[in-house]
Amino acid sequence: METMTMIGVSTNTTLKRWLRMMLCLTTACSAMTVHGQTDSAPHIAEHNGRHALIVDGKPFLVLGAQINNSSTWPSTMPEVWPSLERMHANTIEAPIYWEQMEPQPNHFDFSSVDMLVQGSRQHGMHLVILWFGTWKNGNMHYVPQWVKTDPARYPRVMNRNGEPIDVLSAQSRNNLEADKHAFEALMNHLAEIDSKDHTVIMVQVENESGIVGAARDYSAASNREIAGQVPAELVRALHLHAGTWNEAFGADADEAFQAYHQSKYLNEIATAGKAKFNIPMYCNVWLSYPIAELPERQVRNPGIQYPSGGPTQFMLPLWKALAPSIDIIGPDIYSDDTAFYTSILETYARPDNALWIPETGNGDRYAPYLFLALGHGAIGFSPFGVDETGWTFQKGEDPKAHTRNYTLLSPMSSELARLNYDGALKTAIELPGQAEQELDFGTWKASVRFGFPQHDGRHAPGTSDSSGRALVAQLGPDEFLVTGIEASVAFHTAGHLPGIRMQILSAEEGHYENGQWKPLRLWNGDQTDRGLNFHRSADTVVHIRLGSF
């Protein structure tokens, strides 16, 4: 039986989604790339400003786990896989190091790449490769020794005092060609070993690129260039008035100048890589965080506070205009402030940019933000440092709250990816002092209450750590998929309380298995009279049918 019909989606909704699927398949057949690859390879789909990562022909939700920086080694990977499996992650994010892959010019060692691809397949996971090339966290720490020891050929950034710093210059053609040559070799190798299996679903180009130690390159050539006119392509892209960099950008001139060269550098690398193997490419971002100072001191400091030139929230429009080969710009979010986290999701969830969180904190307080991200249409989410190598977790330790999330969502991740792409999914997370929220589905409203016990006639108590979260997805006009953690969900129509002029036709507890809904039992009585309660169990999901009278 076709899944959508079995769970009760209306005929119109089924037809709409079938037509969308056919559109995706038609689009997928329209382009050919190298090595006989078609667009059945992983790619980003967009419809009405919403996005999906398409893997093997259908939307895929990345429940990711990024390993520690120094964990991609044969001696270390045995301590990685058990952590990811216990967490129920479906995707591993792992770095490939330029210094290891090309220890001598044009002599490539793909053993780490092969190890990751084979290991991912053996453990039933997809793989996101992180290219640690010219930049890693605003420095050049992962470039090969033959680059580090030849600054005449591979020049470094000059700071304001005219001194070289530990960053390769984005204005150097030699630097770009060396990185591009290595990246092309990597992507060509991935095409040879993975163009049919689709183990690798995305590639990160560099890591938190930019300059730490200066706002821009202050070399003599750069100083002459910034004194001149802003390039016409940037004037057109950002609808600027022609003029010098200072005239166009004022106090942001140095950062914008660096972002111009940085974005073009990464775009050329990504373009060259896609010519070898055309799968989604993204760059991640070290954000500009609020400064814990007096309001009058709230002035950002690129190159010190964060790497200058990267696609921060302030430089994002420039990057989107000048780096079209970068499919996604994904923010690394390491603040657990809900207002800031929300603002970053809203900034990066753009019609021209799929929302993808490639790194976030692995602590329990970050777990509710998976639900927040899904509510903003995210295609994936990944805590950082998820392995038991001792850097973040000791042997047998796990990110408990993230694991609870993945345990709950992983069996239905495909369904959630599709529903989110359709715009049918909404979420709520508990905010301090706000234990009651409402989700609006038009005719039906879902009242969400966090914390237990929930006594009749009293407000919900909330949880001690504001960790409640809930997810509701509309399957049809009167049908919903509901789950949560430390939450209750009750439905009602506009102007009525839950239970008034409405009824629950059925509430099935169950789970998805190979794309099909498998009911386990019906809820009724105490299990439905005060809402659907998600309190004790870590993996409870309910499919509810409603009626009104």
Side-chain angles (χ1 to χ4, degrees):
M1 182 180 292
E2 199 265 335
T3 304
M4 302 295 293
T5 302
M6 189 185 76
I7 60 176
V9 177
S10 68
T11 302
N12 288 340
T13 304
T14 303
L15 178 60
K16 172 184 173 184
R17 291 174 181 162
W18 180 84
L19 289 171
R20 175 173 296 166
M21 179 184 71
M22 294 305 297
L23 176 62
C24 290
L25 290 175
T26 301
T27 302
C29 293
S30 66
M32 295 293 294
T33 59
V34 298
H35 296 282
Q37 174 198 359
T38 70
D39 245 5
S40 61
H43 61 280
I44 302 297
E46 183 274 334
H47 181 74
N48 290 337
R50 302 190 69 84
H51 301 89
L53 171 61
I54 306 298
V55 178
D56 294 324
K58 60 183 180 180
F60 180 81
L61 174 62
V62 178
L63 299 177
Q66 183 169 154
I67 67 177
N68 281 290
N69 292 166
S70 299
S71 293
T72 306
W73 295 97
S75 62
T76 313
M77 288 304 295
E79 298 172 288
V80 169
W81 298 114
S83 300
L84 273 61
E85 289 180 320
R86 290 197 303 270
M87 190 179 173
H88 296 277
N90 62 22
T91 304
I92 174 176
E93 289 183 52
I96 290 296
Y97 319 115
W98 185 8
E99 62 179 347
Q100 182 274 332
M101 197 188 79
E102 192 181 12
Q104 298 297 327
N106 210 33
H107 292 275
F108 295 104
D109 176 0
F110 296 113
S111 58
S112 291
V113 181
D114 295 339
M115 173 185 65
L116 286 176
V117 171
Q118 293 165 8
S120 298
R121 291 172 183 168
Q122 290 168 2
H123 292 87
M125 297 181 191
H126 285 288
L127 170 63
V128 174
I129 283 185
L130 318 177
W131 173 239
F132 284 11
T134 299
W135 291 278
K136 201 287 178 185
N137 294 13
N139 290 110
M140 54 178 282
H141 293 167
Y142 284 87
V143 305
Q145 290 187 31
W146 52 269
V147 173
K148 292 178 180 177
T149 56
D150 193 356
R153 184 171 184 179
Y154 304 107
R156 303 183 182 206
V157 169
M158 295 291 178
N159 66 17
R160 191 181 289 272
N161 296 327
E163 300 169 334
I165 60 176
D166 195 20
V167 187
L168 288 181
S169 173
Q171 282 97 302
S172 166
R173 194 70 207 177
N174 283 349
N175 293 342
L176 173 57
E177 290 295 339
D179 189 323
K180 183 170 70 171
H181 180 63
F183 190 69
E184 285 177 317
L186 169 64
M187 296 307 298
N188 187 71
H189 184 71
L190 289 176
E192 290 175 344
I193 67 172
D194 197 50
S195 59
K196 294 181 179 179
D197 293 286
H198 308 155
T199 306
V200 181
I201 55 175
M202 288 195 288
V203 174
Q204 177 182 290
V205 186
E206 313 299 338
N207 183 278
E208 295 183 346
S209 71
I211 298 175
V212 169
R216 65 169 173 86
D217 189 347
Y218 290 91
S219 67
S222 294
N223 291 340
R224 288 192 299 271
E225 184 180 347
I226 200 172
Q229 299 289 300
V230 174
E233 62 174 326
L234 186 54
V235 171
R236 290 192 300 270
L238 299 185
H239 307 290
L240 303 171
H241 293 292
T244 67
W245 287 89
N246 283 330
E247 289 170 344
F249 292 99
D252 297 327
D254 286 347
E255 185 178 5
F257 178 84
Q258 185 59 37
Y260 170 79
H261 288 284
Q262 198 89 24
S263 60
K264 291 174 71 65
Y265 189 112
L266 266 74
N267 186 68
E268 186 166 338
I269 291 174
T271 300
K274 284 188 169 185
K276 301 296 183 182
F277 191 30
N278 189 6
I279 60 175
M281 296 188 185
Y282 73 93
C283 61
N284 62 332
V285 188
W286 181 335
L287 296 167
S288 173
Y289 291 93
I291 304 169
E293 299 287 352
L294 294 172
E296 62 268 26
R297 299 177 187 173
Q298 294 290 317
V299 178
R300 67 181 190 271
N301 192 0
I304 302 300
Q305 181 194 358
Y306 56 88
S308 183
T312 63
Q313 54 268 52
F314 308 107
M315 292 293 134
L316 182 59
L318 182 154
W319 271 77
K320 292 303 296 184
L322 297 184
S325 288
I326 300 293
D327 298 282
I328 305 172
I329 296 175
D332 296 346
I333 313 179
Y334 288 99
S335 168
D336 64 350
D337 179 84
T338 303
F340 179 78
Y341 214 108
T342 303
S343 73
I344 294 301
L345 297 181
E346 292 172 347
T347 297
Y348 286 85
R350 297 165 40 126
D352 62 353
N353 193 68
L355 182 61
W356 155 234
I357 311 303
E359 291 184 36
T360 196
N362 58 39
D364 289 353
R365 64 187 184 276
Y366 287 91
Y369 294 128
L370 168 57
F371 284 67
L372 185 66
L374 289 176
H376 284 79
I379 65 168
F381 184 90
S382 181
F384 171 78
V386 182
D387 57 47
E388 53 185 26
T389 57
W391 295 106
T392 45
F393 293 97
Q394 300 297 324
K395 193 170 184 62
E397 291 183 341
D398 296 301
K400 292 183 175 57
H402 288 294
T403 298
R404 189 175 185 186
N405 281 347
Y406 285 14
T407 301
L408 174 63
L409 301 183
S410 59
M412 55 181 176
S413 60
S414 294
E415 287 70 31
L416 296 180
R418 172 180 48 77
L419 289 163
N420 215 3
Y421 187 40
D422 286 345
L425 186 152
K426 295 181 184 293
T427 63
I429 68 167
E430 181 183 358
L431 303 175
Q434 189 176 341
E436 300 179 7
Q437 298 178 38
E438 186 162 286
L439 302 176
D440 188 351
F441 290 92
T443 300
W444 293 102
K445 322 295 178 183
S447 294
V448 183
R449 293 159 52 89
F450 297 110
F452 294 90
Q454 295 185 3
H455 297 295
D456 290 348
R458 299 183 185 180
H459 288 293
T463 63
S464 61
D465 55 358
S466 300
S467 61
R469 51 240 198 229
L471 181 152
V472 181
Q474 188 164 21
L475 304 178
D478 303 310
E479 297 184 51
F480 297 87
L481 191 70
V482 190
T483 191
I485 293 174
E486 297 303 312
S488 72
V489 180
F491 290 88
H492 66 96
T493 57
H496 296 95
L497 293 172
I500 305 299
R501 300 297 300 273
M502 59 82 63
Q503 58 189 334
I504 297 174
L505 301 181
S506 68
E508 294 177 346
E509 178 187 343
H511 63 271
Y512 281 95
E513 185 177 307
N514 298 322
Q516 294 193 350
W517 174 253
K518 300 289 186 180
L520 299 175
R521 59 175 173 171
L522 286 175
W523 284 15
N524 217 322
D526 289 343
Q527 280 65 54
T528 58
D529 289 349
R530 291 169 176 81
L532 308 176
N533 293 331
F534 303 94
H535 179 36
R536 301 293 183 188
S537 176
D539 57 356
T540 302
V541 184
V542 173
H543 174 208
I544 189 170
R545 295 176 176 86
L546 304 170
S548 57
F549 56 88

